[in-house]
Amino acid sequence: MRIFANFILKEIYHITRDWRSLLVLICIPVIQLFLFGYAIRTELNNAEIGIIDRSKDYITQEITNKIISSGYFELSAYIENEKQIEHLFKNGTVKEIIIFEPDFAKKLEKEGKASVMLIADASNPNIATLVTSYTSSIIRTYQLELNMKSIKANTIIIPEVKMLFNPELKSVYMFVPGLIALILMLVSALMTSIAITREKEMGSMEVLLVSPLKPQMIIIGKVVPYVVISFFNSMSVLALSILIFHIPFEGSYILFIFESLLFIITALALGILISTIAKSQLAAMMISLGGLLMPTVLLSGFIYPVENMPLVLQWLSYLIPAKWFLIILKGIMLKGLGIEHLWKETLILTGMAIFYLAVSTRKLKIRLE
Amino acid sequence: MNNNKKVIEVSDLTRKFGKFTAVDSISFDVKEGEIFGFLGANGAGKTTAIKMLIGLLSPTSGKATVAGYDVYNQSEQIKKSIGYMSQKFSLYEDLTIAENISFYAGIYGLTDEQINDKTDLLLKKLDLENSRNELIKSLPLGWKQKLAFSVAIIHDPSIAFLDEPTGGVDPITRRQFWNLIYEAAENKRTIFVTTHYMDEAEYCDRVSIMVDGRIEALDSPANLKSKYDSATMNDVFIQLARKNQVKE
């Protein structure tokens, strides 16, 4: 144990001597949080819209009012001539145009249905999806209201748009869990794979292996400091998100910590695996970035929803530990789910951790002989 | 050298990598307290052989014992009785001199008290007392090598394996380095050293010369020189290497 403590001390010297890297390691998560939180926003604020109202009755008027008073939209113009549509989009004056069909109210009363067309500028697909889904949800709410009214004529219903789990559709809510996964992956896998290959590259690994230190002990010794750092990072990101971005945390902190540790172990095992393959620090870095970080960003559902991907990529995403971790984190943080709902994902993640640990220790043994 | 106790015994030791035979059925003994030179050109199989002896590589066939322990299944005991200085690595650049010493002493299980004593002694011997808290990277290469050697034997191993310890060092520092080796070889400590500087071979009690995975000659430098009718070990080596090329 004393010998092991001695080894950890050496690792701590390595890390603290290189204080610039340490600073980067600790600051990057915070910077990323602010970048994702403030710069990359996908929620709407006063998006400009145009309306073509061919009906001009009380219902279309009410819907228009609802949309404008929602705070997400700002009415740029009532358009009379359809030929203007293209022009307005090309200028970028509006993000969306809403067209009510003629005799909207009448059709609704007689046939029970009337249609409204939403046209969005899909050159920015994210915003297009957002504006249309906001608008349709406002209209749907109004429709519900109408239905209620027809049963109980005198009740006043306060319009309420409710988006489950992310009521304000704040993108930062979606980013924080992804960011935690990304940071844990970055620090645990990338940093450990680099730290281990550095010993190999310098030749000091040989000297360590000739000493009475057990190979497992060398690896654990190299890994422990990074577990501590990545754990600290995920906690600081979480704390900042709660304090600054007021992200809700509905679930259990203990479960959160447990699942984070599980994910850290998986990431570390991957890092060790990479270090057994890579011959140099540079190679370790390239493999970590290309093989771990890219998939974590692209395929985990962190930024792009997995459901919209081609089937092949969806299958591929099942192999990404971060995908499952993300489901778990969102479940805990935004929905307040407990282990009884997340056991399946937890089981998958545990399986992955065990699998990668087994493979990497096996590879490690082969290499050391 | 009146001691005949053998501390390293090797017979027919072979290591193959696929179809390539890096070490081809070598046999030799090293006696206690001896400075044993393990010579050969680059790629002759020196490092592979040394790795099998210190337990980093398992042999394909043959037998070998180090300090009385079998290399196949007693490598843990071997590790405790040997010191090793690798050609590639000297010390951790981003740690101070004192930290490096206490790290290596620590992983060999020395107590804090022992570490402190050893550190003081060592720094005094190498005249580095004032640089105690300087980073290794600020030291010149020669000093690093000397320090690395002293660190490699800090736990008083009975055998020290030195793999090209003087690579890239100037002749004066190499001379100083060999003084350290002589000093370490007192008290019956065995030194097993590889080198490709043939002038250093003269400093050894006995040398073996490896060519293409085989040991072509093994004797004291004086005997070898008279056997091959050469003035220097360099000539002996060139003759052996050439003979081998002609054979092919």
Side-chain angles (χ1 to χ4, degrees):
Chain A
M1 204 56 220
R2 235 183 56 81
I3 295 177
F4 187 62
N6 198 302
F7 193 90
I8 299 273
L9 184 69
K10 181 209 108 180
E11 289 307 315
I12 292 170
Y13 284 142
H14 280 319
I15 294 172
T16 49
R17 281 293 139 75
D18 190 4
W19 60 268
R20 284 187 195 86
S21 305
L22 182 64
L23 204 67
V24 169
L25 227 50
I26 290 175
C27 288
I28 273 188
V30 177
I31 294 169
Q32 277 183 329
L33 178 68
F34 281 96
L35 270 181
F36 281 123
Y38 282 122
I40 309 175
R41 293 215 152 200
T42 50
E43 72 251 37
L44 285 180
N45 279 317
N46 300 329
E48 272 145 347
I49 55 167
I51 289 178
I52 301 179
D53 193 345
R54 296 196 188 121
S55 179
K56 293 204 174 78
D57 53 48
Y58 74 101
I59 290 190
T60 61
Q61 193 52 56
E62 270 186 31
I63 294 177
T64 309
N65 286 343
K66 286 254 179 328
I67 290 172
I68 296 166
S69 61
S70 69
Y72 301 125
F73 300 101
E74 199 171 289
L75 183 59
S76 162
Y78 267 113
I79 308 158
E80 297 300 332
N81 188 344
E82 266 175 58
K83 280 172 191 147
Q84 276 179 283
I85 294 177
E86 207 180 319
H87 178 72
L88 283 171
F89 275 133
K90 276 186 178 163
N91 280 349
T93 342
V94 295
K95 301 257 183 329
E96 183 193 44
I97 288 174
I98 303 169
I99 307 175
F100 294 102
E101 65 174 339
D103 301 325
F104 195 88
K106 264 188 213 156
K107 277 193 178 171
L108 207 60
E109 277 158 28
K110 276 189 189 158
E111 300 165 26
K113 60 178 182 185
S115 44
V116 50
M117 184 185 257
L118 308 176
I119 306 172
D121 174 8
S123 63
N124 186 335
N126 277 340
I127 292 193
T129 323
L130 273 175
V131 287
T132 49
S133 68
Y134 275 55
T135 321
S136 24
S137 111
I138 293 171
I139 294 171
R140 225 174 297 126
T141 318
Y142 179 73
Q143 181 196 316
L144 280 176
E145 248 174 77
L146 271 185
N147 291 346
M148 304 276 271
K149 261 189 202 163
S150 58
I151 301 164
K152 275 187 160 187
N154 291 326
T155 330
I156 304 161
I157 298 162
I158 302 157
E160 187 183 2
V161 181
K162 184 160 184 183
M163 308 272 185
L164 267 181
F165 311 134
N166 185 2
E168 294 155 75
L169 277 180
K170 280 208 169 161
S171 44
V172 66
Y173 290 6
M174 307 316 276
F175 278 123
V176 166
L179 197 60
I180 293 176
L182 186 68
I183 290 160
L184 291 184
M185 207 40 142
L186 185 84
V187 177
S188 312
L190 179 72
M191 293 314 292
T192 47
S193 68
I194 288 180
I196 296 173
T197 22
R198 183 173 58 195
E199 298 261 8
K200 265 167 65 181
E201 203 176 291
M202 280 174 27
S204 48
M205 196 54 131
E206 268 182 20
V207 179
L208 295 180
L209 289 173
V210 172
S211 79
L213 278 175
K214 294 252 184 317
Q216 300 89 310
M217 217 155 42
I218 297 172
I219 300 295
I220 295 172
K222 295 230 65 114
V223 153
V224 164
Y226 293 104
V227 174
V228 175
I229 293 179
S230 46
F231 193 69
F232 170 81
N233 277 339
S234 67
M235 287 299 141
S236 67
V237 167
L238 185 67
L240 284 176
S241 345
I242 293 174
L243 293 176
I244 296 178
F245 292 106
H246 307 290
I247 181 169
F249 195 102
E250 308 282 347
S252 137
Y253 284 94
I254 294 168
L255 189 61
F256 173 84
I257 289 172
F258 166 77
E259 300 281 2
S260 301
L261 284 176
L262 189 61
F263 185 66
I264 290 174
I265 291 170
T266 317
L268 288 175
L270 282 166
I272 297 169
L273 189 62
I274 289 172
S275 71
T276 61
I277 301 166
K279 290 220 164 53
S280 66
Q281 293 181 59
L282 193 67
M285 197 157 98
M286 295 312 288
I287 298 175
S288 305
L289 288 177
L292 294 182
L293 288 185
M294 290 276 285
T296 302
V297 172
L298 298 177
L299 290 178
S300 67
F302 171 24
I303 295 180
Y304 309 105
V306 178
E307 302 81 57
N308 297 351
M309 293 177 187
L311 266 182
V312 182
L313 286 186
Q314 290 195 30
W315 289 331
L316 211 60
S317 76
Y318 291 133
L319 301 176
I320 313 287
K323 179 200 158 89
W324 306 105
F325 184 56
L326 222 58
I327 296 175
I328 294 170
L329 276 195
K330 283 182 182 168
I332 297 175
M333 291 170 67
L334 305 179
K335 301 184 199 169
L337 296 182
I339 187 77
E340 68 277 6
H341 290 106
L342 298 169
W343 63 271
K344 216 162 59 189
E345 287 79 10
T346 309
L347 209 62
I348 292 173
L349 208 56
T350 316
M352 282 182 172
I354 293 171
F355 174 75
Y356 288 127
L357 266 182
V359 173
S360 59
T361 44
R362 220 187 112 78
K363 290 242 7 151
L364 195 75
K365 272 191 193 138
I366 293 168
R367 267 214 57 87
L368 299 183
E369 262 168 20
Chain B
M1 218 45 41
N2 41 22
N3 189 329
N4 276 324
K5 190 182 163 199
K6 291 168 184 166
V7 288
I8 301 176
E9 289 178 276
V10 176
S11 66
D12 293 326
L13 195 66
T14 301
R15 172 72 202 203
K16 292 180 182 162
F17 293 102
K19 280 187 177 166
F20 172 68
T21 308
V23 172
D24 189 1
S25 182
I26 58 170
S27 304
F28 63 90
D29 301 324
V30 180
K31 296 184 203 104
E32 186 175 51
E34 197 173 28
I35 297 178
F36 189 85
F38 200 61
L39 315 189
N42 289 329
K46 283 174 299 177
T47 301
T48 308
I50 222 175
K51 277 188 175 168
M52 287 192 278
L53 294 180
I54 61 178
L56 280 185
L57 207 63
S58 49
T60 309
S61 62
K63 271 193 236 164
T65 59
V66 173
Y69 299 112
D70 187 62
V71 292
Y72 286 97
N73 45 36
Q74 292 179 302
S75 59
E76 289 309 310
Q77 285 95 320
I78 292 179
K79 284 176 181 178
K80 285 184 187 123
S81 8
I82 61 168
Y84 172 59
M85 178 179 167
S86 111
Q87 62 180 104
K88 229 157 105 195
F89 169 74
S90 41
L91 297 158
Y92 290 104
E93 300 269 309
D94 53 347
L95 264 56
T96 67
I97 295 174
E99 283 161 1
N100 265 291
I101 297 174
S102 67
F103 169 67
Y104 280 108
I107 60 174
Y108 279 95
L110 269 64
T111 64
D112 286 340
E113 204 180 329
Q114 282 173 316
I115 293 175
N116 284 335
D117 292 350
K118 287 267 182 186
T119 307
D120 290 341
L121 207 72
L122 216 155
L123 291 175
K124 204 169 171 187
K125 194 169 89 183
L126 294 175
D127 217 6
L128 283 169
E129 280 158 304
N130 297 326
S131 323
R132 187 185 182 99
N133 294 320
E134 273 173 35
L135 297 183
I136 293 292
K137 62 178 150 209
S138 65
L139 281 183
L141 181 64
W143 285 106
K144 282 188 211 168
Q145 308 283 77
K146 282 189 266 183
L147 187 60
F149 173 67
S150 310
V151 166
I153 56 167
I154 198 156
H155 54 293
D156 276 324
S158 58
I159 310 169
F161 285 89
L162 314 176
D163 194 4
E164 309 256 353
T166 51
V169 177
D170 65 83
I172 298 166
T173 316
R174 265 163 59 196
R175 185 68 240 190
Q176 291 172 344
F177 193 92
W178 275 88
N179 285 335
L180 281 180
I181 293 183
Y182 280 130
E183 207 179 299
E186 287 165 13
N187 304 323
K188 290 182 176 177
R189 180 173 299 135
T190 312
I191 308 282
F192 186 98
V193 54
T194 77
T195 179
H196 58 253
Y197 293 110
M198 289 305 145
D199 58 319
E200 289 187 349
E202 316 264 0
Y203 306 148
C204 302
D205 295 322
R206 281 196 308 151
V207 296
S208 75
I209 297 179
M210 233 180 146
V211 182
D212 293 337
R214 302 179 139 272
I215 291 183
E216 291 292 334
L218 199 168
D219 213 329
S220 67
N223 287 350
L224 282 176
K225 277 186 285 189
S226 67
K227 185 179 172 195
Y228 289 90
D229 197 22
S230 309
T232 62
M233 279 304 292
N234 208 19
D235 290 339
V236 173
F237 182 73
I238 288 169
Q239 274 194 41
L240 280 168
R242 193 173 293 151
K243 188 184 87 186
N244 212 276
Q245 273 172 353
V246 170
K247 237 185 347 195
E248 280 167 12

